[in-house]
């Protein structure tokens, strides 16, 4: 996060009113912001905030307004809204190899959650192929998804949505 803000700060030096400047100000305003996206409108700018804790939405929005007002060009209207989650359910049967550990399914679920937290971005989905790659680790012989849309093959997310791992249901199907 710090490295990302450093790069945004350098890009924001090009001038006030750039998307990088607004994004830098938003990410620097509060630690409650995981990510922010900027959309240009006819009469201004719309900022979407991916919040870590939705309970403090108003306080976070106020902090962003204050941070942006320091360098905001005159006459630019700024609107701010929280991002919306796009729930993704992962349901799969996992067949193990003979050398796989007994707790393989639990390890896979934990690894998927960690990878998801690092890869998820505003407006971008994590396709089924990425999920399969995260699950198909050493000790896995085969993966079979239980439903056609759990997880979906590919989902188009709006700029104000982020993929949220709603549930992981992995079934140990035994040895292949």
């Amino acid at each position: 996060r710090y490295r990302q803000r450093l790069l945004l700060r350098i890009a924001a030096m090009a001038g006030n009113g750039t998307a990088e400047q607004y994004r830098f100000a938003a990410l620097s305003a509060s630690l409650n912001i995981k990510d922010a996206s900027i959309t240009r409108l006819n009469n201004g700018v719309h900022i979407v905030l991916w919040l870590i804790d939705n309970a403090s939405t108003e306080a976070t929005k106020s902090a962003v307004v204050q941070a942006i007002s320091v360098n905001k060009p005159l006459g630019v209207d700024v609107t701010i809204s929280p991002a919306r989650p796009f729930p993704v359910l992962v349901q799969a049967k996992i067949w193990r190899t003979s050398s796989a550990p007994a707790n393989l399914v639990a390890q896979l679920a934990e690894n998927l959650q960690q990878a998801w937290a690092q890869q998820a971005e505003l407006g971008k989905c994590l396709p089924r192929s990425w999920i399969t790659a995260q699950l198909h680790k050493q000790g896995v012989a085969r993966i079979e998804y239980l439903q056609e849309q759990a997880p979906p093959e590919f989902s188009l997310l709006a700029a104000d949505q982020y993929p949220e791992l709603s549930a992981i249901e992995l079934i140990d199907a035994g040895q292949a």
Side-chain angles (χ1 to χ4, degrees), residues 59-80:
T60 304
K61 284 170 67 172
S62 296
V64 171
V65 167
Q66 185 176 4
I68 287 173
S69 65
V70 173
N71 291 321
K72 181 179 77 84
L74 293 174
V76 175
D77 293 331
V78 177
T79 57
I80 301 172

Side-chain angles (χ1 to χ4, degrees), residues 76-100:
V76 175
D77 293 331
V78 177
T79 57
I80 301 172
S81 65
R84 301 175 297 132
F86 180 86
V88 177
L89 171 64
V90 177
Q91 294 179 315
K93 284 185 181 180
I94 307 293
W95 276 267
R96 297 177 283 115
T97 62
S98 60
S99 62

Side-chain angles (χ1 to χ4, degrees), residues 20-62:
E20 291 84 2
Q21 186 261 332
Y22 285 111
R23 189 162 180 243
F24 171 74
L27 291 174
S28 299
S30 174
L31 291 175
N32 189 35
I33 301 171
K34 181 172 180 166
D35 198 5
S37 72
I38 313 302
T39 306
R40 295 239 176 244
L41 304 173
N42 291 339
N43 59 345
V45 174
H46 182 69
I47 301 173
V48 175
L49 303 175
W50 180 356
L51 303 176
I52 295 168
D53 177 19
N54 288 324
S56 58
T57 300
E58 292 306 316
T60 304
K61 284 170 67 172
S62 296

